Amino acid sequence: MYPEPLSVLDKEECTAKLTQACKITRIECFRFDCELSDKLQPGHGNDCHCGLLTISTNLGTNGLGEFVIPWESLKGDFVQWAVVFQKLKGLTPEDGLVYIHQREEAWGTVRTQLMESALMDLSEKLEHSAAGKKERSFPGNRTYLFDHSQTYISF
């Protein structure tokens, strides 16, 4: 006999419990070289930086956000631009969303939208986990990402 499917209330309760238990443990930023940028962001132009931000959690779930940063939005180097994300470590996804919206004016639109996108992706994956669906742990081949990254940052 098959187990009965979870009711909507049970799914929401399960998702809420997972989300409360979920803590951000690592944030990685990959700034791609021209070859990978052209492959993933066709027509991006030479006046921007392209890459991927990943959020890892204590539950093994990852959130992803792709970015295209116009050159003029990047004041200083990429590490200085990304270091603000470090403050999200140890937060739940909900607390992370609250935090980034409190910092939106200081961070600017590009950083805020990038982190919001990754946190929303993480939340969707947590919902799938609560429903018993298996998610892929990391996009593609990490070696390929490292081979085609001009900059890699991990907090």
Side-chain angles (χ1 to χ4, degrees):
M1 185 140 263
Y2 295 105
E4 291 187 39
L6 290 174
S7 70
V8 172
L9 184 58
D10 290 340
K11 287 179 187 176
E12 289 174 4
E13 186 177 313
C14 190
T15 300
K17 286 180 181 178
L18 266 178
T19 303
Q20 290 295 323
C22 183
K23 303 285 185 203
I24 297 169
T25 57
R26 184 175 60 215
I27 299 168
E28 297 173 287
C29 295
F30 298 85
R31 186 172 62 94
F32 300 144
D33 62 13
C34 292
E35 180 184 330
L36 187 53
S37 294
D38 289 341
K39 184 177 180 180
L40 298 176
Q41 297 286 340
H44 66 83
N46 293 325
D47 58 347
C48 60
H49 303 278
C50 300
L52 179 71
L53 176 122
T54 68
I55 302 171
S56 300
T57 70
N58 59 322
L59 302 178
T61 307
N62 296 305
L64 309 173
E66 292 182 21
F67 60 85
V68 178
I69 307 168
W71 282 99
E72 65 272 2
S73 294
L74 190 64
K75 305 208 181 351
D77 68 12
F78 186 66
V79 174
Q80 290 174 326
W81 184 87
V83 75
V84 298
F85 299 139
Q86 185 174 356
K87 300 281 187 178
L88 294 163
K89 284 183 67 175
L91 298 180
T92 65
E94 284 90 10
D95 290 343
L97 282 170
V98 169
Y99 181 83
I100 65 171
H101 288 292
Q102 290 172 344
R103 305 294 188 275
E104 187 169 2
E105 188 175 325
W107 283 18
T109 305
V110 175
R111 280 189 281 205
T112 302
Q113 288 178 348
L114 170 60
M115 185 53 75
E116 182 178 45
S117 170
L119 286 169
M120 297 305 290
D121 183 61
L122 175 61
S123 294
E124 288 175 18
K125 289 177 179 170
L126 286 170
E127 287 177 25
H128 285 126
S129 292
K133 297 177 185 172
K134 185 75 174 156
E135 289 291 330
R136 230 174 37 179
S137 62
F138 195 82
N141 183 336
R142 283 184 69 92
T143 303
Y144 183 79
L145 286 176
F146 281 115
D147 288 347
H148 290 280
S149 291
Q150 290 182 332
T151 307
Y152 169 75
I153 304 164
S154 178
F155 304 111

